[in-house]
Amino acid sequence: MRRLLRLFGRVLLGIVALWLLLAVAYRWIDPPGTPLMLLRWPAVGAVDYRPVPFARLSPALELAVIASEDEAFCLHHGVDFNQVDAALQEFEQRGRLRGASTITMQTARNLFLWPGGGVFRKALEVPLAFLLEALMSKRRIMTLYLDVIEWGDGRFGAEAAALHYLHKDAARLDRHEAALLAAVLPNPNRMSPARPSADVRERAEQIEGRMARLQGYTGCLR
């Protein structure tokens, strides 16, 4: 038992050291891949991953994902405790636990963790989100988020998504196109910005409305 505990401790320390090393490296370099890309590869046959620098990402898309996923992105330090509290209250009232992941938490999950996993994986997202916020600027976190998030089967990052669905690069997306891309993020393998359903169009309209309201709340990206 002692040997097993020592082995477990060494493995755990090794994983933590690897995460720390990668987090430091990703301040400057693009990830060569992510755990989800490796998991998706056998199913899709090929992965379309095209990381681009911040300057080649549309400001409209940055605003759209903030409006869709994390309105307090520029205000929190990795975890939005107001959203966590609201999610817990909703769970107590309705018995249903909704996600309260920030963009930073989603970035940590996409870079280091795996899909699914429930509460255990969510618990790992929190310290990893604090680690990213301690090591990186909000601008770099946003860049990594938009570069590695999956937008459909084996299609990773805004550049790959924009080229495939909208036939233009991510730098030239307008507000409506950006809102459509953000609208499918809850389930990008079943929803399409190129052939949006009525629900996707409605969600995109709501995101555009929030984008107008949040226009002045993205100073952390500049």
Side-chain angles (χ1 to χ4, degrees):
M1 181 62 70
R2 288 181 179 178
R3 289 180 180 177
L4 286 175
L5 288 174
R6 282 198 297 267
L7 178 61
F8 176 77
R10 289 172 183 173
V11 171
L12 183 60
L13 286 174
I15 292 172
V16 171
L18 177 61
W19 283 341
L20 179 59
L21 180 64
L22 290 176
V24 172
Y26 292 162
R27 291 177 64 184
W28 299 284
I29 66 173
D30 294 322
T34 67
L36 181 57
M37 291 179 195
L38 290 176
L39 292 172
R40 299 286 288 143
W41 200 335
V44 300
V47 167
D48 188 2
Y49 169 49
R50 311 185 190 197
V52 295
F54 186 83
R56 290 176 55 189
L57 293 166
S58 166
L61 183 58
E62 298 153 14
L63 183 59
V65 296
I66 288 175
S68 172
E69 301 294 306
D70 184 6
E71 292 189 7
F73 177 65
C74 283
L75 303 177
H76 62 66
H77 299 288
V79 177
D80 186 345
F81 290 103
N82 290 329
Q83 285 299 313
V84 171
D85 184 58
L88 291 175
Q89 289 184 25
E90 184 174 324
F91 178 70
E92 291 176 357
Q93 294 170 2
R94 303 182 183 180
R96 180 173 60 90
L97 185 62
R98 65 174 174 86
S101 291
T102 62
I103 283 175
T104 309
M105 292 171 68
Q106 292 181 52
T107 305
R109 179 185 69 222
N110 289 330
L111 288 175
F112 304 121
L113 302 175
W114 60 91
V119 175
F120 176 68
R121 193 212 62 200
K122 184 72 69 176
L124 292 176
E125 285 180 23
V126 172
L128 286 170
F130 286 135
L131 177 64
L132 293 186
E133 292 272 348
L135 293 175
M136 301 179 186
S137 66
K138 291 284 191 178
R139 178 168 171 156
R140 181 57 180 163
I141 292 170
M142 176 61 73
T143 304
L144 288 169
Y145 173 79
L146 289 175
D147 274 346
V148 302
I149 193 169
E150 187 177 21
W151 250 300
D153 287 342
R155 204 161 288 108
F156 289 87
E159 184 75 356
L163 289 170
H164 178 79
Y165 294 116
L166 303 171
H167 311 294
K168 59 170 62 177
D169 58 57
R172 298 190 298 117
L173 296 171
D174 61 29
R175 292 174 69 89
H176 179 65
E177 292 164 338
L180 282 173
L181 281 173
V184 305
L185 285 177
N187 199 338
N189 291 320
R190 293 190 177 183
M191 296 185 284
S192 171
R195 298 180 299 278
S197 64
D199 288 343
V200 170
R201 288 195 296 270
E202 180 180 357
R203 179 170 166 79
E205 290 177 2
Q206 293 172 353
I207 290 171
E208 282 194 78
R210 291 199 292 269
M211 288 168 68
R213 176 167 54 84
L214 294 170
Q215 191 71 52
Y217 289 86
T218 58
C220 65
L221 299 177
R222 304 296 164 223

